[in-house]
Amino acid sequence: MKKARAAVILAAGKSTRMKSATSKVLHDVGGRSMLSWVKALADNVGVEKIVCVVGEANADVRAAAEALGMDIAVQEPQLGTGHAVLAAKDNLADFDGTVTVLYADTPLIRPATARRVFEALDEGADVAVLGFEAEEPAAYGRLITNGDELTAIVEAKEASPEQLAIRLCNSGVISANSKDMFSALSRVTNDNAKGEYYLTDVIEILKADGRKSVAVIGDEAEVLGVNSRYDLSLAEKAFQNAKRKEVMDMGVTLREPASVVFAYDTQIENDVEIGANVVFGPGVSVKTGAVIHPFSHLEGCVIGKDVSIGPFARIRPGTIMGEGSRAGNFVETKKAVIGKGSKVNHLSYVGDAEIGDGVNIGAGTITCNYDGYNKHKTIIGDGAFIGTHSSLVAPVTIGKGAFLGSGGVITKDVPEDALGLARAKQVNKDGWAKRYHAAQAKRKNQKK
Ligand code: UD1
Ligand code: CA
């Protein structure tokens, strides 16, 4: 029978090294907060109940954790990782199942790795710890093993020289039956070098109770913990490199991979081509055959099949580009549905708009969607031709097949198949320029 799963996410630390008004775990990696990454991991591996442990000083973390639907436990003061998990005891009083401890500042653990921790429990271990081979073990806790059994975790500050030579380290993830976990935690003391209640002491305590612990080994890159802005940059780099590899493996061409920035949820189908210096904010999906030319920025949009974007385009939230449509250089779109094969090729702003199929929007066209108080909609029917430098003062509807002359300030609806002209009539004065130049030149010479 599958056991119920709970997670305790530790986020009560002070995070002073970030030098930020924002708590550390709310800083973003790949377009979402570290806290949200860890929450997503827990959801992804079938955890039903999540308790986030926060300090009184982390009001922003508390609010974010609540917004993400987590239970809150307050740890005040912060007396160590064991003390932190114990703070969640009341939240889990009625819970019977497996408790897994996760750190909110360790965002990149993959679901597959967390599942292996659960598998170790299913296969009979009482406690499973996620470990890794550290390049430089430094301050990490060392995993002491005997055959396949994990017999203790020794913090670096408590370790003997022989133990310090061990490179197998503790990631912080630990999973055990909730009764065992809390029973052991109630017996942890702070009689150690840091004067803290170490979560890691539960391994030896549970061993004395006759429980067996094991270590599951993950990659060092995924257990990377963030303490500083530099660490944050390393986590971002690790995420970006993994995502670039993932999309390329799925059949996407990246012309200059290191310059393409993805978000955690970017979805790209095969045979999409992405040029250099393209940035994806959250919520972008790109269908097969599309080309994203260099220096384009996309967020919250759907890029249809065979669409062409950029170079230098900004595609903002709510944009849906229909099959074969185009948004060219220096084009900005927002909340715009652009129909099949329609073109917005140059220097335009299209916002709060519904554009039909086969529409041509001339260079420099602007939807004037905002009156200083409210946003209004522009609707353009199939096959319409919008002359260059049109200002479409919304709300306004351009009928199917209509044709707008260049430079119009269009304030009234234009019927289907009509010509819409909204500019002053041109006046030509024969010989005027020649007379003007002669008069000006004469005046200038008289002054000398
Ligand atoms: C901990 C582990 C160590 C492991 C390392 C991995 C212990 C005793 N040590 O050490 O074996 O190799 O993580 O990164 O567990 N926190 C609280 N309340 C507290 C203390 C910490 O919520 O009172 C939170 C922190 O915000 C952080 C996490 O727990 O998210 C880890 O705490 P930290 O002090 O960084 O532990 P380490 O000393 O790095
Ligand atoms: Ca740490």
Side-chain angles (χ1 to χ4, degrees), residues 26 35 54 58-70 72:
L26 298 184
L35 182 66
V54 304
N58 318 120
D60 54 351
V61 179
R62 186 188 178 119
E66 280 172 348
L68 287 167
M70 298 190 241
I72 305 294

Side-chain angles (χ1 to χ4, degrees), residues 10-14 24 53 75 78-81 83-84 103-106 139-142 153 155 169-172 194 196-200 227:
L10 302 190
K14 291 271 192 295
K24 172 172 78 177
V53 179
Q75 183 205 16
Q78 287 86 46
L79 303 178
T81 50
H83 181 253
Y103 293 171
D105 65 358
T106 306
Y140 287 118
R142 306 298 202 271
I153 303 176
E155 289 306 292
C169 291
N170 175 26
S171 70
K194 282 176 141 181
E196 285 185 3
Y197 295 86
Y198 292 161
L199 168 62
T200 44
N227 297 308

Side-chain angles (χ1 to χ4, degrees), residues 1-8 46-49 92 95-101 117-119 121-122 125-128 174-182:
M1 195 190 78
K2 184 179 158 270
K3 283 192 195 147
R5 287 171 185 168
V8 176
V47 168
E48 298 105 74
K49 186 171 174 74
L92 296 172
F95 176 80
D96 184 19
T98 303
V99 173
T100 303
V101 178
V117 171
F118 292 135
E119 275 161 28
L121 298 180
D122 292 342
D126 297 302
V127 184
I174 169 167
S175 199
N177 184 280
S178 60
K179 288 210 170 61
D180 285 350
M181 177 78 86
F182 288 110

Side-chain angles (χ1 to χ4, degrees), residues 286-425:
V286 185
K287 310 280 180 232
T288 191
V291 180
I292 317 292
H293 294 280
F295 296 99
S296 294
H297 188 286
L298 300 89
E299 183 178 356
C301 58
V302 178
I303 305 302
K305 190 167 176 282
D306 300 329
V307 165
S308 171
I309 300 291
F312 298 100
R314 177 151 184 233
I315 309 298
R316 293 173 52 204
T319 301
I320 299 174
M321 299 286 301
E323 187 175 333
S325 62
R326 305 172 72 91
N329 43 277
F330 306 106
V331 167
E332 175 180 346
T333 65
K334 186 216 73 170
K335 272 198 196 155
V337 179
I338 295 175
K340 282 187 194 163
S342 292
K343 296 175 190 162
V344 193
N345 273 339
H346 332 269
L347 300 152
S348 290
Y349 171 65
V350 178
D352 299 297
E354 268 173 39
I355 294 172
D357 298 341
V359 169
N360 188 84
I361 300 210
T365 293
I366 304 290
T367 53
C368 310
N369 59 331
Y370 187 48
D371 59 14
Y373 296 91
N374 295 300
K375 299 283 168 67
H376 302 282
K377 212 160 182 181
T378 300
I379 297 172
I380 302 178
D382 296 345
F385 181 96
I386 309 301
T388 57
H389 209 285
S390 292
S391 295
L392 305 172
V393 182
V396 69
T397 299
I398 312 301
K400 284 184 191 172
F403 193 108
L404 299 190
S406 294
V409 177
I410 304 294
T411 55
K412 284 189 255 166
D413 291 354
V414 178
E416 265 185 53
D417 298 320
L419 168 67
L421 290 175
R423 60 180 189 225
K425 268 224 162 77

